[in-house]
Amino acid sequence: MTKEQDGNPYIIIFALWLLVFAASSQVMIISPILPRISEQLGTPLEILGNLVTIYAVMVGVFAIIMGPLSDKIGRRKILLIGTGGITISLFLHGFVDSFWGLMTVRALAGMAGGVLSGAAVAYVGDYFPYEKRGWANGWIMSGIAMGQILGIPMGTLLADLSGFRIPFVLFGGIMAITFILILIKVPQPNITLSEDRVTFKSSISKYYILLKRPEVRAVAFSYVLMFLSISVFVVYLPTWLEETFGVSGTEIASLFFVGGIANVITGPIAGKLSDKIGRKSIIIISCIGLSIVMGITTYVITDFWIAYIIFFLAMVLIAMRISPFQALSTQLIKSDNRGSLMSLLVAIGQVGYGVGGSIAGPFYVQSGYVSNTIIGTVMILVMAYVVWRHVPEPDLNSTS
């Protein structure tokens, strides 16, 4: 951030935090309300994971499309387009009356999510100096944690009381507030924008050039593994707990509340710590720890109260990794390509999340939840190896 840049950094962080809160909540709410969706739409449980897949696929496609455009027109305009689009699509959830209708509005939400994906992190990379990005990303990404503390429990309870559609409408209202806040309080950072003409051919060429760099390939592969492992582990966890221990939606909501507390405490601390000691060591430690937690989940949860401990630890370890990894990624490339890189990484990560969502259901139904935990464990260990061997650690004193 330079002296000439406008805007209050704390207001900017709050606006992006609210965006992350609403955007992540409307994604995470799918998992705890899967049984409600199945009941109210009469849909078999094993195909509901496709709601995760369709969203992830559309996010990936539109992230790829919008990345070069955000480098051309600036992150602020992209944030406005994305928040406006996702607001409308979430309000449309209130009118669905079939599984295919829900699939359609999830696809629309994914399209808008793809516009947004990478934009908030790229904005942080544009506005804040590298030595402050871990701190900024830590606070912004704590919006995910607050989604777990507030958004998911509230949404789960509302789904129990008034049907699965209401939580999406609620998050649409919050996103509408975000749109207004960005419109009046978030400036376009004072950076060099891309002067390249944005065409299909030029966009593909830009991504191809990025992927020719070995460090970009390594980070991209890591994103696939990170999102795949989380998706496989988390999507059917509430369903397994309900079926195994007979718990209610209220108890599942309280589980996400506890996990959110872990996330909101850990995210800013991990981001700030990574500003001081580097990103890679924290990422690798979190991956190894998470592999252990995933691996033991079905063996140690013999009573529902133990799930609180396991989920708390899992959220601590996930939060430890996110902010440092994003801060590291923004420094791999200069500002005129940063939006393309972050959109590429998010798109590739969504491929992992979508694959995880599509395979989680069949594995869960055929082999039990233990198969989900095994897949998650293996993937997260592979990610740790890739980061250790192939992802460089940028200089913390770099100013680009």
Side-chain angles (χ1 to χ4, degrees), residues 233 281-297 309-310 312-318 320-321 376-377 380-381 384:
F233 180 71
S281 57
I282 292 179
I283 296 168
I284 293 168
I285 290 168
S286 74
C287 288
I288 294 172
L290 188 57
S291 72
I292 295 170
V293 170
M294 286 182 176
I296 67 174
T297 293
I309 300 172
I310 291 297
F312 183 91
L313 291 174
M315 290 301 105
V316 164
L317 293 161
I318 289 171
M320 273 180 65
R321 184 179 60 221
T377 298
I380 209 65
L381 285 175

Side-chain angles (χ1 to χ4, degrees), residues 148 233-234 237 255-260 262 293 301 306-316:
Q148 289 180 255
F233 180 71
V234 170
L237 174 61
L255 182 71
F256 277 81
F257 178 83
V258 168
V293 170
I301 300 180
I306 303 173
Y308 288 103
I309 300 172
I310 291 297
F311 199 61
F312 183 91
L313 291 174
M315 290 301 105
V316 164

Side-chain angles (χ1 to χ4, degrees), residues 368-382:
Y369 184 65
V370 66
S371 63
N372 298 65
T373 65
I374 291 170
I375 295 170
T377 298
V378 172
M379 293 301 100
I380 209 65
L381 285 175
V382 175

Side-chain angles (χ1 to χ4, degrees), residues 242-262:
E242 282 197 28
E243 292 184 348
T244 304
F245 301 105
V247 296
S248 67
T250 301
E251 288 168 300
I252 294 297
S254 68
L255 182 71
F256 277 81
F257 178 83
V258 168
I261 291 173

Side-chain angles (χ1 to χ4, degrees), residues 5 55 58 99 101 107 124 144 176 199 222 229 244 283 288 294 301 309 335 343 355 357 373 375 381 390:
Q5 292 205 157
Y55 180 88
M58 297 311 292
F99 172 72
V124 170
I144 298 174
T199 64
S222 298
S229 63
T244 304
I283 296 168
I288 294 172
M294 286 182 176
I301 300 180
I309 300 172
S335 63
S343 293
V355 169
T373 65
I375 295 170
L381 285 175
H390 300 292

